[in-house]
Amino acid sequence: MRACVQQKSRHCARRGSVLVIVLWIAFGLVSLALYFANSMNFELRASDNRVCAQAADQAIEGAARYLNYLLTQQIANGSNGVFLSLDDSLCKAVPVGEAHYWLIGRDTNAPVGPGRMCFGLVDEASKLNLNLAASNPLVASNQLIWLPRMTVDLTQAILDWVNTNGTGPTVSYYAMQQPSYQCKCEPFETVDELRLLYAADMDTLVGEDANRNGILDPNETDDNQNGMLDPGILEYVTVYSREPNTNSDGSAKVDISSLTSGSAPLNSLLQTNFGTTRANEIMLSLGLASVGGGGSRTGGSSGVGTSGAAPRGGGPSGIGGMSGVGGSGTPAVASASFASPLQFYVKSGMTATEFALVATNLTTTNGSYITGRVNVNTASAAVLTCLLQNDLAAAQQLVSYRQANPNNLTSIAWVIDALGSNYATDLQALEAGDYITTQSYQFTADIVALGPYNRGYRRAKFVFDTSSGAPKIVYRQDLTHLGWALGKEVRQSLLAAKGT
């Protein structure tokens, strides 16, 4: 009896062991199933994210091609040189299949701050050109030094970097780096070269705008606690701004840096636009009308004069002067030189409307391109301050005027009306060189894209150049690594749309 009970107990124990083993096996199989299911889920999500990222990449490519088309159409319509302003429908959450793209722009009429995101193209002519230091180091240093966060050491390093003589106090610095490299001693090819220069730390270059989107984001540090974005130097400099030194039909522009009486190109330009009588009046105001014999005429000092806000046509002005040489029975030959189209305008006695008809036909150089002019219609107050010898009040006056008078910005003549007699010294600074324009031929498209379901974030920057008569992409940079750049409002709107 006892043996039977023991046998039955052993049999039950064996069955219990088998059950435990079966349970462990089942547990293992379930664990494996769950593991592989979870892995497949992660792989599916990763694949989905890759597909979204590829869709975002293609949206960026599509945006670049579309912008190329818009610029081509603008050139075909005879508007090359005009800043391409885009509606929100063309630069904000533009659909490309299931993806969308945005163009991050800048509102240079508003103070830089945490503000709202601005969308559109960025005008490269609204910035200071670093390569001006190669052709005119004195002017470049006098302008660059006033940029926010700029230092004397970095200004000198910029001058040394483009100095073809390979001399300067910062040149030896590069040989001592690990690894060592040489000072370039040639013009900048991109603004990113600034990172190689002596005294060019990231705080100086990007400031508080770590992701370079033009607004103060919640995750960015407001160092001075002023509630405003204080960008670095990269926000205000370029290497691309240039204008073709020919007219739209390919003919040469009129060089006003050296003119003589009866100058045929200038006289022809004036007669074509204003008729013979008015052209003669303008030539007379410029001191370039032919003078008969029987005496001599000196239409003013051939040296240096000043103009301030003197009435136009009231005598020699600015650095430009004129002289006439003649004797008894000998026709006098008058001559005049002008450092800038603005100085030419002040002396000519033309109205702003008249000057707008000929302003783009004037030049002060004989090269293929005019490099480094700043578009006063789109430049920020910070850049304008650099052109005005650190006079922030005058720069703000220019910004305020163009906001209030958007229809008067057809030529650089508006700066005379904007500054008036209250800023005579600033007007002299602008007249002293060929620094300003109202034309733009280079545009930056800072494109951000999201794929389907608002995933697959991508960002790339393109620089388009139309100065050769056809749009070309001269620079491309992937900025995805800088993180989210569409601001808090766009993120909230996307989350709200996802919730619905």
Side-chain angles (χ1 to χ4, degrees):
M1 183 69 166
R2 178 178 296 181
C4 183
V5 171
Q6 290 178 346
Q7 185 178 5
K8 185 176 182 180
S9 177
R10 286 195 296 272
H11 180 68
C12 290
R14 284 197 298 270
R15 285 191 298 175
S17 298
V18 170
L19 178 61
V20 170
I21 293 172
V22 170
L23 289 175
W24 275 110
I25 293 173
F27 177 76
L29 291 175
V30 170
S31 298
L32 287 173
L34 291 175
Y35 172 79
F36 286 116
N38 193 50
S39 297
M40 292 177 65
N41 182 54
F42 275 118
E43 183 63 30
L44 177 63
R45 295 181 64 181
S47 300
D48 191 32
N49 287 335
R50 282 195 293 270
V51 170
C52 292
Q54 291 175 349
D57 286 332
Q58 290 305 308
I60 288 177
E61 297 297 330
R65 287 193 291 269
Y66 185 59
L67 289 172
N68 188 83
Y69 165 78
L70 292 178
L71 292 170
T72 301
Q73 291 298 110
Q74 180 172 265
I75 294 172
N77 294 334
S79 300
N80 196 16
V82 178
F83 177 67
L84 182 60
S85 181
L86 301 175
D87 296 330
D88 279 354
S89 61
L90 297 179
C91 58
K92 185 176 179 181
V94 182
V96 180
E98 294 184 277
H100 294 80
Y101 73 81
W102 291 257
L103 300 179
I104 300 179
R106 297 292 187 275
D107 183 3
T108 54
N109 282 329
V112 177
R116 302 184 64 178
M117 179 69 65
C118 179
F119 298 99
L121 296 177
V122 177
D123 183 10
E124 287 297 298
S126 68
K127 307 174 185 180
L128 295 179
N129 195 310
L130 292 172
N131 287 330
L132 184 62
S135 58
N136 201 330
L138 179 60
V139 170
S141 61
N142 288 339
Q143 293 179 357
L144 292 172
I145 192 61
W146 302 118
L147 282 174
R149 297 180 180 264
M150 179 61 80
T151 64
V152 174
D153 287 342
L154 183 53
T155 301
Q156 184 60 54
I158 291 172
L159 298 179
D160 293 344
W161 190 258
V162 299
N163 183 358
T164 56
N165 294 326
T167 59
T170 68
V171 171
S172 60
Y173 164 81
Y174 309 107
M176 296 184 290
Q177 301 308 297
Q178 294 295 334
S180 63
Y181 55 98
Q182 294 182 335
C183 184
K184 187 175 185 180
C185 301
E186 290 182 2
F188 286 86
E189 294 178 64
T190 74
V191 295
D192 296 296
E193 289 180 37
L194 284 172
R195 298 182 64 177
L196 299 172
L197 270 60
Y198 173 73
D201 56 83
M202 291 306 292
D203 181 63
T204 301
L205 295 180
V206 303
E208 298 172 354
D209 195 9
N211 61 4
R212 307 180 208 176
N213 66 345
I215 64 170
L216 185 63
D217 289 298
N219 64 318
E220 292 174 337
T221 304
D222 186 6
D223 294 330
N224 52 11
Q225 300 298 312
N226 65 351
M228 304 288 288
L229 176 69
D230 297 311
I233 294 169
L234 292 177
E235 181 73 13
Y236 306 112
V237 296
T238 184
V239 298
Y240 304 107
S241 57
R242 68 177 188 175
E243 300 178 36
N245 202 23
T246 55
N247 298 314
S248 57
D249 60 0
S251 61
K253 294 189 177 185
V254 177
D255 188 350
I256 59 174
S257 63
S258 180
L259 297 169
T260 57
S261 59
S263 172
L266 177 60
N267 201 29
S268 175
L269 175 66
L270 296 176
Q271 288 185 9
T272 300
N273 286 277
F274 311 125
T276 302
T277 301
R278 181 57 179 147
N280 289 338
E281 292 174 353
I282 296 172
M283 294 290 283
L284 184 62
S285 296
L286 295 170
L288 296 174
S290 300
V291 181
S296 65
R297 170 179 176 168
T298 57
S301 170
S302 61
V304 178
T306 59
S307 65
R312 295 189 292 279
S317 67
I319 297 177
M322 62 181 182
S323 63
V325 180
S328 178
T330 304
V333 178
S335 63
S337 61
F338 300 95
S340 66
L342 185 64
Q343 189 182 75
F344 176 92
Y345 166 64
V346 171
K347 185 67 173 59
S348 68
M350 284 189 281
T351 65
T353 303
E354 289 176 331
F355 184 68
L357 298 176
V358 300
T360 59
N361 303 110
L362 306 177
T363 183
T364 59
T365 182
N366 57 7
S368 299
Y369 294 94
I370 307 170
T371 302
R373 282 176 170 176
V374 174
N375 189 335
V376 289
N377 289 357
T378 58
S380 64
V383 171
L384 294 173
T385 298
C386 297
L387 301 179
L388 297 168
Q389 303 175 331
N390 201 35
D391 191 340
L392 179 59
Q396 292 289 3
Q397 175 64 19
L398 291 176
V399 173
S400 299
Y401 180 91
R402 72 190 188 196
Q403 283 181 290
N405 303 275
N407 296 326
N408 294 350
L409 311 182
T410 53
S411 76
I412 59 175
W414 69 265
V415 303
I416 302 293
D417 298 326
L419 296 179
S421 59
N422 295 328
Y423 299 96
T425 302
D426 298 294
L427 282 174
Q428 290 178 25
L430 293 179
E431 290 179 38
D434 194 0
Y435 307 136
I436 60 175
T437 183
T438 57
Q439 293 194 297
S440 301
Y441 290 86
Q442 294 78 31
F443 311 97
T444 289
D446 189 349
I447 310 174
V448 172
L450 292 173
Y453 313 109
N454 297 323
R455 296 207 298 267
Y457 175 86
R458 289 292 187 270
R459 181 184 179 189
K461 182 174 76 173
F462 297 80
V463 178
F464 292 86
D465 185 354
T466 65
S467 61
S468 62
K472 297 179 181 179
I473 296 176
V474 295
Y475 183 73
R476 176 174 179 165
Q477 182 182 25
D478 189 343
L479 299 179
T480 306
H481 65 282
L482 295 179
W484 183 261
L486 289 175
K488 181 174 64 176
E489 290 185 357
V490 173
R491 182 188 292 274
Q492 290 174 340
S493 64
L494 292 175
L495 290 175
K498 183 178 180 180
T500 58

